[in-house]
Amino acid sequence: MDKDFNMLFYTLLMCYGSCILAQFDDSGFEEDIYTDLTDFELDIAPRRVPRQVRAILTKETKPHIQELSIKTTIISRYAFTAVSCTMLNRHSAAAEGVFHFQIPAAAYVSNFTMIIGGRVYPSEVRPKDKKVKQDKEADPKPKKKEAGDTSQVESDVEVFRMAASIPGRNRAVFLLAYEELLQRRLGYYEQVTSLRPMQLVSRLNLDVTLVDHSPITYLEVLPLRNGKSYTSAAKTPATAAPPVSTVIKQNKNVCKVTFSPNIVQQAKITTNGNLGDFVVRYDVEREMGIGDIQVLNGHFVHYFAPKDLPAVPKNVVFVIDTSASMLGTKIRQTKEALFTILQDLRPGDHFNFVSFSSRIKVWQPRRLVPVTPLNVRDAKKFIYTLAPTGGTDIGGALQTGASLLSDYLAASDSNQNSVSLIIFLTDGRPTVGEVQSPRILGNTRSAVQEKFCVFTIGLGNDVDYRLLERMALENCGMMRRIPEDIDAKFMLKGFYDEIGTPLLSDIRINYTEDSVQYVTQHLFTNYFNGSEIVIAGKLTNQSAESLHVQVTASNSDKSIVLETDVPLRQRQVETEKHVKAAAAQAQGSGAGAGSKVTVPGSGGSGVETLESVAADFVERVWGFLSVKEGLRSRLRSQTSREREDHTQQATNLSLAYHFLTPLTSLLVEKPQVLSDGTMALAPTQGPLTDEAASANLLSDEGAEEAPLGSRHSSVTKTTGKAKKSHAKKSIRISKTSADGDPHFIVEFPLSKLTVCFNINGEPGHVLRLVSDHKHSGVTVNGKLIGAPAPVGSHKQQRTYFRTITIVVDQPKRSYIEITPKKVILDGQDRMIMPCDTTITVESGALSVAIVGKSNVTVTVGGSISFVILLHQYKNPAPYQKDHLGFYISNSKGLSPNCHGLLGQFLYEEVRLAESPVNSTDRGDMRTSTMLKVKDRSVPVVPKTRRIYSGSQTVDCWFAKNNAAKLIDGTYDDYVVSHMFDTGNWPDGTNGA
């Protein structure tokens, strides 16, 4: 295969000659002096590497990037991106490897992991400490942990940067994951991947997998976008071809794009590794009516983008900065954009211009004029005469523009169904008139009075973007940045194109009352052509057959009402289908057969399969939108109390979903490298931190009091009115449990026997552990995740419980969802609490006590208690995953009719019996121990099990064969459809 590829490559070089490698000498193929390139692991033969490329590689002093792999999977507009960067330190001395990667400014980093010297260094998201900067300045000593840095450099991009020492002759792998909800602008979505490794890369691979519920109607891969032109409105030639080595495969609902230039092809583009942006644009078919609703695991997302509607007339006032700083290129490009925008105004529109510096000028005082050829000609004359001079009176200009619009709207001849906007552009800060931002904002709010929207544009680097962003948010608009050295003409025109065609106003989207909760923004002032409205929320009743959706809006001179009943079960099945398709397609782009696509995760090993992440994509869309909404609400808060509430709410959501936001920081433990270039020995790590392990040490007597909750931390702020306090009380735990791989242990108090068994489940399956829905109203379900088995193990894989949900239907439906990282309590109020805090929360009949990084105790009505152990690994092996252990502490409130893998044994009596068995061909007899359960006989053998994080051992009778005949029915009878399933036991039994 390599020989064929080399021959093909050589043939291409001979055919195309200097047009392929014009910037390199032909002598690059001479056999004069070849330095060994084995370490670089190139994807082409070293003999085929031109001399100049060879020189660049061999002269590198910093660690070389052997492989950069970027895999993006887009599921219904929500993009998961996993970046893997492998660096090689070719030298004997330790060297600093710097990983930096540009991510879209709208995206959130969801995890980062380093693997250096064979050890895993996962990250941890924490609330941002206001004193961190001061502490770092005051204490120059190196820290064990360092925060990942995301610094904003452009309007639409941020840079994630992490540096770490790489031992001599060793490798480091950096794994970064980020998520983003793609926004529809100008009729398409745009997925941008930055390819700027700042050096030539031995193996560079980019895979973009697109799976959508709706058919894909438009797909385009742009040429690499260099420089800083990040605007989605950037013009591209109609005949522009995709970058070299790009492969596109597309069918109705699935598309795959790959880009894998070898090192010579990279050098042809640039030798400094700054390739540019790889841009994929696409759009999907629109459903008529209320739009597309997708349902998954108790959450929904609603995409609404109507088409073929007449444009709503608009009233627009352009407020343009003409201060002295606009002199030169800025004012020239602004004028060019305004000339073009004037041509796009429609006959039904009304408009005016305000220019401001130290003085304020109005083109047509005290009125807005209709769009006519004469008025457009006169407006162009006014724009042409604009001359930059003086200071910047931002407040006065906005007051003037708002007064023009307010007076026009108050007139009897104005169109009451029209859309009114101010488009405000500046390149500086207020220097004349009112210069205090809070007063400017307050005056603008008073002048606007929620009658129209303000859209703000900042041009250059000397702009108070916080002021412009707040001004837009407080007045139903948007803010756009235009970097200093970008052609502002195209960005201004592109921004106007986004908002220049309003189709609907006063949009309200309602759902069946009491069927949904925690819905993101569902009231919108305007809907513009080519955009999309996205709403997400939680379903309160997952067993409901349908969800009634109603959309009301105004269009021109009429009102629109759209409504329908959405079949929830059907949508759940359809969403699951295309999530599986996305995982399968991404899997197909793996390195080979049997390979698994992984992304950095919050699990112990720092990686998770894409399938496990994508399975919750609808909930993650909700979390993503909720964080965005919380940050916007925080920014436009009017009081410090209001700001603090929004800050805490957004922080809690950021922690729950492991998002790196302006309110959180990402901490990563770094390896210690000795002076001789080798790594320091790592301390022996157990599955828990020392503190967490000590908190899990329970009494040797299985039912004795155990002091859980001895440590304290600050109480994390949550939403709602539930009572919160520090967790201090002790609890009782029995041996009845499901922990580890998972190993099940059941105590039979009436029989004074302990029985154990294993369940070899499938990753992704949800198992019913306790089922007492009809009587006490309690149901417990657990979701399995998979992990590779240790070397030498007889198993092909391990499974663990990653999520446990406790659903309570009496006296009112509520639930608790527990993962190794967060606890969600949805009772009287909804709260999301990180598992690294120590806190007790009471909500109605429910009580949740968290001991940070140790365990969670759930009490229902005082007579039912469950303890969930948190197994968290610091530097895990590949087969170790963060997981949960489930223990029944108090079962008095559960009824004798309780069922489930554990619940069915709580009120049973069993006994042991000896049964004769033929042992040889001669007919010799021996006895075998049998466990009598109901009318069944189950062969058992004595075994010893470790429980409570290994702090205790239990002697038990082990039932083989996946608990066959021990449990009622078969394994499949305990697999349920979702985490909140409360269906009844199907009454299956096994024969004796």
Side-chain angles (χ1 to χ4, degrees), residues 39 60-64 87-97 116 164-172 672-679:
D39 285 344
E60 282 183 354
T61 57
K62 58 186 179 181
H64 173 71
M87 290 187 187
L88 169 68
N89 178 9
R90 299 182 297 118
H91 308 288
S92 58
E96 183 179 63
I116 301 177
S165 292
I166 305 176
R169 304 295 299 175
N170 219 317
R171 288 180 175 84
Q672 293 183 350
V673 179
L674 303 178
S675 58
D676 61 357
T678 62
M679 289 184 64

Side-chain angles (χ1 to χ4, degrees), residues 685-822:
Q685 296 291 344
L688 300 171
T689 63
D690 292 341
E691 285 183 317
S694 64
N696 272 333
L697 293 176
L698 306 183
S699 169
D700 288 338
E701 297 297 324
E704 291 298 312
E705 294 288 335
L708 296 182
S710 57
R711 295 181 292 117
H712 299 271
S713 68
S714 59
V715 177
T716 298
K717 171 73 177 178
T718 59
T719 60
K721 303 175 182 178
K723 220 168 125 184
K724 300 178 286 290
S725 62
H726 291 294
K728 295 181 180 179
K729 60 184 180 181
S730 298
I731 58 173
R732 295 176 64 89
I733 296 185
S734 72
K735 300 185 184 85
T736 301
S737 59
D739 204 346
D741 187 11
H743 303 311
F744 287 76
I745 297 177
V746 178
E747 270 192 304
F748 293 91
L750 299 177
S751 307
K752 297 183 179 180
L753 286 174
T754 301
V755 177
C756 48
F757 58 93
N758 294 343
I759 292 293
N760 296 320
E762 290 295 325
H765 279 185
V766 180
L767 301 184
R768 176 67 46 77
L769 299 178
V770 176
S771 177
D772 199 30
H773 173 69
K774 280 189 173 181
H775 302 279
S776 66
V778 174
T779 303
V780 182
N781 297 323
K783 186 174 184 179
L784 296 172
I785 60 165
V791 177
S793 173
H794 65 283
K795 291 186 176 183
Q796 292 185 347
Q797 70 173 354
R798 288 184 165 193
T799 51
Y800 303 93
F801 284 115
R802 180 57 181 273
T803 307
I804 289 176
T805 300
I806 302 168
V807 181
V808 181
D809 275 331
Q810 298 177 11
K812 178 182 176 183
R813 185 176 176 87
S814 55
Y815 76 86
I816 299 167
E817 183 177 341
I818 303 165
T819 71
K821 294 296 182 182
K822 67 182 177 183

